[in-house]
Amino acid sequence: MIIVMHPSATQDNVEHVCKLVRDMGLKDHPIQGTNLTVVAVIGDDRKKDGDKFEQAPGVDRVMKVLQPYTLAAKADPKQRSEVTIGGPATNSQAVTFGGDAIPVIAGPCSVEGEDAIIEAGQAAKAAGAHALRGGAFKPRTNPYSFQGHGEDGLKMLAAAREATGLPIVTEVLTTTDVELVSEYADMLQIGTRNSQNFKLLEACGDSPKPVLMKRGMSMTLDELLQACEYILSGGNTQVVLCERGIRTFEDHTRNTLSLSVVPELHHRTHLPVVIDPSHGTGKAHLVPAMAKAAVAAGCDGLAIEMHVNPEKAWTDGAQSITPATLAELMPQLQRIAEAVDRTCAEASAVS
Ligand code: PEP
Ligand code: MN
């Protein structure tokens, strides 16, 4: 941390700041320039509380040098993590995020019934998707809306996995459900509305299952990576980030899907980055273009809502593409992936 003193700061002001640093059990290192003085603060990062200096006389600004997310941050610029879901333990194909392959997770917003999720799974697989999604526990804005089938929905997802061999990705809403959802799911999804539910994140840190961590709809990347730190520091190192769009003044889409987060997150963290163009746009006709753009931007996976009959979808029908659209999209994604030295055709790595 570096404390930049104002050009008008007095020697007393500098000495006061140096004393505050020492009182925190840290070492002060004042550097006098031609116009101003800066005080470098050296020592254990956890003891550094920048706020303590903001109001000290003569202080202009406080700059943090190290990121506040040590486990999510890259140890070296080339570091990249791979996260594998599925495999023999759940009798499904192993799918890896963060390698050369770009897996596609597809499926309906909600698990509507056993036959419906099996049909969706088979359609997703036939179209070339690598994993199946579907919400059993649904976070709904309105308490009277369909809340999901709960544990029955998890059983339906397991049946769809059995029928297709696709690993399953599903949301966990509460700390008390983490164990239950972990029993069935191959990957736990943390939804945008729960992205700063720190107790839930801690509980996922104890889970043996990989986590798909969605960005909060008004979350900065700094906050997203600090939220991941809750999971990583709990001992669960299998975290995949997911951009699903943020709230802005823009109203031609449900959310604003910022694709520059892909290279920016790759710059800051070793964790794989997945793009959800469905929640990111809210409109099915925009999904293929944004999925292709995401692959071009270097994403490590896609999460796409697909429904056998979007008109009849219980939730998020407007943003759900059909299996036919997904089947048309997959070879296009493959061509774009090849152009950026990746592949969308094969996402499985037998472990
Ligand atoms: C979902 O994946 O269906 C969902 C609710 O996503 P989000 O948390 O991004 O809104
Ligand atoms: Mn949805």
Coordinates of all heavy atoms in Angstrom, one line a residue, residues 109 133 138-139 171 189-193 214 244 254 276 279 305 316, ligand 1:
C109 N -34.2 -23.1 -18.4 CA -34.0 -22.3 -17.2 C -34.4 -23.2 -16.0 O -33.6 -23.3 -15.0 CB -34.9 -21.0 -17.3 SG -34.8 -20.0 -15.8
R133 N -28.0 -28.0 -18.1 CA -28.4 -27.1 -17.0 C -29.9 -27.2 -16.8 O -30.6 -27.7 -17.6 CB -28.0 -25.7 -17.3 CG -28.6 -25.0 -18.5 CD -28.9 -23.5 -18.3 NE -29.9 -23.3 -17.4 CZ -30.0 -22.2 -16.5 NH1 -29.0 -21.4 -16.5 NH2 -31.0 -22.1 -15.7
K138 N -35.3 -22.3 -7.8 CA -35.3 -21.1 -8.6 C -35.4 -19.8 -7.7 O -36.3 -19.7 -6.9 CB -36.5 -21.1 -9.6 CG -36.5 -22.2 -10.6 CD -35.3 -22.1 -11.5 CE -35.0 -20.8 -12.2 NZ -33.7 -20.8 -12.9
P139 N -34.5 -18.9 -8.0 CA -34.6 -17.6 -7.2 C -35.6 -16.7 -8.0 O -35.2 -16.2 -9.1 CB -33.2 -17.0 -7.3 CG -32.6 -17.6 -8.6 CD -33.4 -18.9 -8.9
E171 N -28.5 -24.7 -9.8 CA -28.3 -23.6 -8.8 C -28.6 -24.1 -7.4 O -29.5 -24.9 -7.1 CB -29.2 -22.4 -9.1 CG -29.1 -21.3 -8.1 CD -29.6 -19.9 -8.6 OE1 -29.9 -19.8 -9.8 OE2 -29.6 -19.0 -7.8
Q189 N -24.3 -24.0 -9.1 CA -24.4 -22.7 -9.7 C -24.8 -21.7 -8.5 O -25.7 -21.9 -7.8 CB -25.4 -22.6 -10.8 CG -25.6 -21.2 -11.4 CD -26.6 -21.2 -12.5 OE1 -26.5 -22.1 -13.4 NE2 -27.5 -20.3 -12.6
I190 N -24.0 -20.6 -8.4 CA -24.4 -19.5 -7.5 C -25.0 -18.5 -8.4 O -24.3 -18.0 -9.3 CB -23.1 -18.9 -6.8 CG1 -22.4 -20.0 -5.9 CG2 -23.5 -17.7 -6.0 CD1 -23.1 -20.3 -4.6
G191 N -26.2 -18.1 -8.2 CA -26.9 -17.2 -9.0 C -26.5 -15.7 -8.7 O -25.9 -15.4 -7.7
T192 N -26.9 -14.9 -9.7 CA -26.5 -13.4 -9.6 C -27.0 -12.8 -8.3 O -26.3 -12.0 -7.7 CB -27.0 -12.7 -10.8 OG1 -26.4 -11.4 -10.9 CG2 -28.5 -12.5 -10.8
R193 N -28.2 -13.2 -7.8 CA -28.8 -12.6 -6.6 C -28.1 -13.1 -5.4 O -28.3 -12.5 -4.3 CB -30.3 -12.9 -6.6 CG -31.0 -12.2 -7.7 CD -32.4 -12.9 -8.0 NE -32.9 -12.3 -9.2 CZ -32.6 -12.7 -10.5 NH1 -31.7 -13.6 -10.7 NH2 -33.2 -12.1 -11.5
K214 N -21.7 -17.0 -10.6 CA -22.2 -15.9 -11.5 C -21.9 -14.5 -10.9 O -21.9 -14.4 -9.7 CB -23.7 -16.1 -11.7 CG -24.0 -17.2 -12.7 CD -25.4 -17.1 -13.2 CE -25.6 -17.9 -14.4 NZ -26.9 -17.6 -15.1
R244 N -23.0 -12.9 -16.7 CA -24.4 -13.0 -17.2 C -25.1 -11.7 -17.4 O -26.3 -11.6 -17.4 CB -25.2 -13.9 -16.2 CG -25.0 -13.6 -14.7 CD -25.8 -12.4 -14.3 NE -27.2 -12.7 -14.2 CZ -28.2 -11.7 -14.3 NH1 -27.8 -10.4 -14.3 NH2 -29.4 -12.1 -14.2
R254 N -32.2 -7.3 -21.6 CA -32.6 -7.5 -20.2 C -31.4 -7.1 -19.3 O -31.6 -6.5 -18.3 CB -32.9 -9.0 -20.0 CG -33.2 -9.4 -18.6 CD -33.5 -10.9 -18.5 NE -33.9 -11.3 -17.2 CZ -34.1 -12.5 -16.8 NH1 -34.0 -13.5 -17.6 NH2 -34.4 -12.8 -15.5
D276 N -22.7 -16.3 -20.2 CA -24.1 -16.7 -20.3 C -24.8 -15.6 -21.2 O -25.2 -14.6 -20.7 CB -24.7 -16.7 -18.9 CG -26.2 -16.9 -18.9 OD1 -26.9 -16.8 -19.9 OD2 -26.8 -17.1 -17.8
H279 N -29.1 -14.9 -20.1 CA -29.5 -13.8 -19.2 C -28.8 -12.5 -19.6 O -29.3 -11.4 -19.2 CB -29.0 -14.3 -17.8 CG -29.8 -15.4 -17.3 ND1 -29.5 -16.7 -17.6 CD2 -31.0 -15.5 -16.6 CE1 -30.3 -17.6 -17.1 NE2 -31.3 -16.9 -16.5
E305 N -29.4 -21.0 -22.3 CA -30.8 -21.5 -22.0 C -31.4 -22.0 -23.3 O -31.5 -21.3 -24.3 CB -31.6 -20.5 -21.3 CG -31.2 -20.4 -19.9 CD -32.1 -19.6 -19.0 OE1 -33.0 -18.8 -19.5 OE2 -32.0 -19.7 -17.7
D316 N -38.2 -17.9 -18.3 CA -37.2 -17.5 -19.2 C -37.4 -18.0 -20.7 O -36.4 -18.1 -21.4 CB -35.8 -17.7 -18.7 CG -35.4 -16.8 -17.6 OD1 -36.1 -15.8 -17.4 OD2 -34.3 -17.0 -17.0
Ligands
PEP1 C1 -30.5 -19.0 -14.2 O1 -29.4 -19.4 -14.6 O2 -31.6 -19.5 -14.6 C2 -30.5 -17.8 -13.3 C3 -31.5 -17.6 -12.5 O3 -29.4 -17.0 -13.6 P1 -29.0 -15.6 -12.9 O4 -28.7 -15.9 -11.5 O5 -27.8 -15.2 -13.7 O6 -30.2 -14.7 -13.1

